[in-house]
């Protein structure tokens, strides 16, 4: 059973574009269906979520807080180091962990976890590694599809559907 689900941000929770305004403010677009499913799986199925991302962004902090994600790691060059510490802190095994990401900086963690997901537009190496490839691109519901896949595989989908 998957206990921990780790999410990448750019290209996974978002389409991967970064909009920067004249004053340097940064904008990202998140998919509400991804957000709804993250919050539902956390609240109704007891899933733990973490975000590990290579960039630093106040916007990601705001979105994580909205979704109740307390394990947030930004500006991370070597995601495997954070992953190993997170696993230790939560007393969770590789097999109890799922990861969804889209690019080569996700690859090392993906080789370790029990279940790997990728958006449809992930790079070739990630698509070849993935256990589940979404029909959606990053930022367009790929995370929701991955979570749906996990919950249905574990027979937990009814906890989401019946409570609405």
């Amino acid at each position: 059973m998957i206990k921990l689900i780790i999410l990448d941000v750019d290209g996974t929770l978002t389409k991967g574009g970064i909009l920067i305004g004249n004053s340097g403010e940064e904008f990202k677009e998140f998919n509400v269906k991804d957000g709804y499913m993250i919050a539902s799986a956390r609240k109704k199925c007891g899933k733990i979520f973490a975000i590990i991302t290579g960039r630093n962004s106040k916007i990601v902090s705001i979105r994580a807080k909205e979704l109740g994600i307390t394990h947030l790691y930004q500006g991370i060059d070597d995601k495997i180091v954070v992953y190993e510490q997170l696993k230790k802190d939560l007393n969770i095994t590789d097999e109890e962990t799922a990861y969804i990401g889209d690019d080569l900086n996700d690859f090392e963690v993906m080789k370790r976890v029990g279940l790997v997901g990728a958006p449809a537009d992930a790079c070739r190496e990630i698509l070849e590694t993935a256990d589940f490839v979404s029909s959606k691109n990053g930022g367009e519901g790929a995370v929701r599809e991955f979570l749906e896949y996990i919950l249905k595989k574990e027979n937990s989908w009814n906890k989401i559907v019946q409570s609405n």
Side-chain angles (χ1 to χ4, degrees), residues 106-138:
D106 302 307
F107 195 59
E108 288 303 313
V109 177
M110 288 178 150
K111 291 191 300 188
R112 299 283 303 280
V113 300
L115 185 65
V116 174
D121 59 344
C123 74
R124 180 182 51 81
E125 292 83 358
I126 298 304
L127 292 172
E128 290 172 356
T129 302
D131 301 302
F132 174 85
V133 176
S134 176
S135 67
K136 310 279 187 190
N137 289 338

Side-chain angles (χ1 to χ4, degrees), residues 1 36-37 39-47 151-152 154-164:
M1 178 173 278
Y36 176 78
M37 193 54 56
S40 295
R42 186 181 58 73
K43 293 175 188 172
K44 299 173 185 176
C45 300
K47 301 299 183 189
L151 297 173
K152 287 177 179 177
E154 295 179 352
N155 294 316
S156 297
W157 182 243
N158 61 336
K159 291 179 183 178
I160 304 293
V161 175
Q162 291 176 353
S163 61
N164 289 317

Side-chain angles (χ1 to χ4, degrees), residues 1 12 16-17 20 27 29 31 66-67 72 76 93 112 114 116-118 124 136 145 150 154 157-158 160:
M1 178 173 278
T12 303
I20 300 174
F27 301 92
E29 178 182 348
N31 186 288
E66 287 176 348
L67 299 175
L72 173 61
I76 305 301
T93 66
R112 299 283 303 280
V116 174
R124 180 182 51 81
K136 310 279 187 190
E145 276 193 352
I150 291 168
E154 295 179 352
W157 182 243
N158 61 336
I160 304 293

